[in-house]
Amino acid sequence: ERKESAREEREREREESMQRMKTGRKVGNARPCARVVRGVTVRPAGVRSQATQVPRRGGSTSSNVARVSQGFALRAASSDLEENVSTTSIIEDLKNAAMHLHTKDQAASGGQEAKKRPEFKPTREGYLRYLEDSRIIFSTLEDIVKDNAKLSKLRENGLERAGALDTDIALLSGMGVEPAGYEGDASPGAEYAKYLKDLSEENLPGFICHYYNTYFAHTAGGRMIGKAVSDRILDGRKLDFYHNYPQPVKKLSKPVKDSLEDIALEWSDEEKSKCVDETGKAFKYAGLVMRQMVISE
């Protein structure tokens, strides 16, 4: 009953937020709150304010650091968030934080200026390495969800990708393609998987941020990148990783987002901050894995 009441309250506040967007006035007793990330204020739709700069410890401010690698522009987000803040929707917070890290050529509402990038030249060897690393990441996410009772709402939701990746890896291997190598003791995907495992045990809200960004980045921009890669090096072949879903992606996505909202219902303000605070790291790890597409050895 408590969860149902909280859900109804959240839906009411969403409707009031939409009404405020139309009328420009406060509705009822609702008071929209904003989450402040260093250098950007993330606030519910329809709430306007001047930009807020949150200083680093020591008094200075800093913009996000741009990382450009072989056709992918990444933005490393700050790890500092204001405490004791609230929001009606964790999905909106995560979406806004991610959008702030996009450039304007990646998304019209991106928070960063467009940058000139090197030409994107994927290779079959690099792409197979990317698929193998993606397999490690998605299987780790699925195992964590399966083993954690607090994440039971996310089990068998149709967005799982490990099985589809097995099929695509077998396809490229059958074509005689060998995966490109990597530097160090572990590939970027293996390093990310270890980070996810540790995070799920130490900071579950932070893990939710990576879950959200990994799955929903893949169903959006990731599928566009997959098509571009396929057109260039696989004669336009459709891979299961991007296309083999039990139902339309849009239909599968909504209940998953609703489940994420339900999981976050009883979070404290500090836990919500810990969740959004991981956005920059989610972008960083995704970029390290994706850049392998262009490796030729």
Side-chain angles (χ1 to χ4, degrees):
E1 292 180 357
R2 180 181 176 184
K3 288 188 176 181
E4 286 298 322
S5 177
R7 179 179 292 180
E8 291 174 1
E9 177 67 14
R10 189 176 72 239
E11 291 299 325
R12 181 183 66 77
E13 291 180 352
R14 285 178 178 172
E15 292 176 2
E16 291 176 350
S17 178
M18 294 299 294
Q19 183 66 20
R20 286 194 298 274
M21 291 177 63
K22 296 178 181 178
T23 65
R25 297 191 302 271
K26 177 181 174 182
V27 178
N29 296 318
R31 297 183 62 189
C33 301
R35 184 184 301 279
V36 182
V37 185
R38 184 190 304 151
V40 62
T41 301
V42 180
R43 50 176 57 81
V47 180
R48 297 184 179 181
S49 179
Q50 294 181 347
T52 301
Q53 288 288 330
V54 181
R56 287 177 180 269
R57 293 182 178 86
S60 63
T61 59
S62 174
S63 60
N64 293 303
V65 179
R67 297 172 183 246
V68 181
S69 60
Q70 297 293 333
F72 298 103
L74 308 175
R75 293 289 184 270
S78 162
S79 62
D80 293 334
L81 287 176
E82 292 282 315
E83 295 183 352
N84 298 321
V85 293
S86 184
T87 180
T88 58
S89 169
I90 195 64
I91 295 298
E92 286 302 311
D93 270 4
L94 290 171
K95 180 180 178 181
N96 291 339
M99 191 56 62
H100 176 67
L101 301 184
H102 282 79
T103 56
K104 294 186 183 302
D105 57 329
Q106 293 174 322
S109 56
Q112 309 296 325
E113 292 300 322
K115 300 291 184 179
K116 185 176 181 179
R117 305 172 187 177
E119 183 181 357
F120 178 50
K121 296 181 178 179
T123 66
R124 287 188 171 186
E125 296 80 9
Y127 193 52
L128 181 53
R129 166 55 55 199
Y130 166 74
L131 292 177
E132 290 189 348
D133 265 20
S134 295
R135 173 63 171 79
I136 295 172
I137 294 166
F138 278 96
S139 63
T140 298
L141 289 168
E142 292 167 23
D143 288 343
I144 291 171
V145 167
K146 180 178 65 175
D147 295 338
N148 192 320
K150 293 181 179 180
L151 303 176
S152 60
K153 291 178 179 289
L154 300 175
R155 294 173 186 166
E156 299 180 359
N157 57 45
L159 294 181
E160 293 86 2
R161 296 290 84 202
L165 281 160
D166 285 338
T167 300
D168 295 337
I169 290 169
L171 171 67
L172 267 70
S173 297
M175 297 167 61
V177 179
E178 293 289 335
Y182 52 83
E183 298 179 358
D185 296 331
S187 69
E191 291 179 354
Y192 189 21
K194 182 180 184 305
Y195 180 79
L196 290 172
K197 180 64 175 175
D198 293 342
L199 191 67
S200 70
E201 298 171 354
E202 301 167 4
N203 175 11
L204 192 61
F207 169 80
I208 290 295
C209 176
H210 290 266
Y211 183 96
Y212 168 86
N213 278 286
T214 299
Y215 279 98
F216 292 111
H218 178 68
T219 59
R223 298 174 77 192
M224 295 173 62
I225 293 171
K227 184 179 185 308
V229 172
S230 182
D231 288 345
R232 290 181 180 232
I233 63 175
L234 295 174
D235 298 322
R237 182 166 187 143
K238 291 184 177 181
L239 299 184
D240 284 5
F241 186 31
Y242 306 100
H243 298 282
N244 186 17
Y245 287 91
Q247 297 182 50
V249 169
K250 186 175 181 179
K251 186 174 182 179
L252 293 171
S253 296
K254 186 180 185 308
V256 174
K257 291 179 180 179
D258 287 344
S259 294
L260 293 173
E261 293 281 17
D262 288 343
I263 291 170
L265 276 179
E266 298 181 2
W267 284 355
S268 66
D269 293 336
E270 181 182 3
E271 288 172 317
K272 293 175 183 177
S273 294
K274 286 182 177 180
C275 179
V276 179
D277 194 31
E278 285 290 319
T279 303
K281 289 182 180 178
F283 271 57
K284 183 194 78 171
Y285 278 112
L288 291 173
V289 173
M290 290 175 67
R291 70 175 295 187
Q292 296 181 106
M293 291 185 188
V294 301
I295 298 175
S296 58
E297 298 179 354

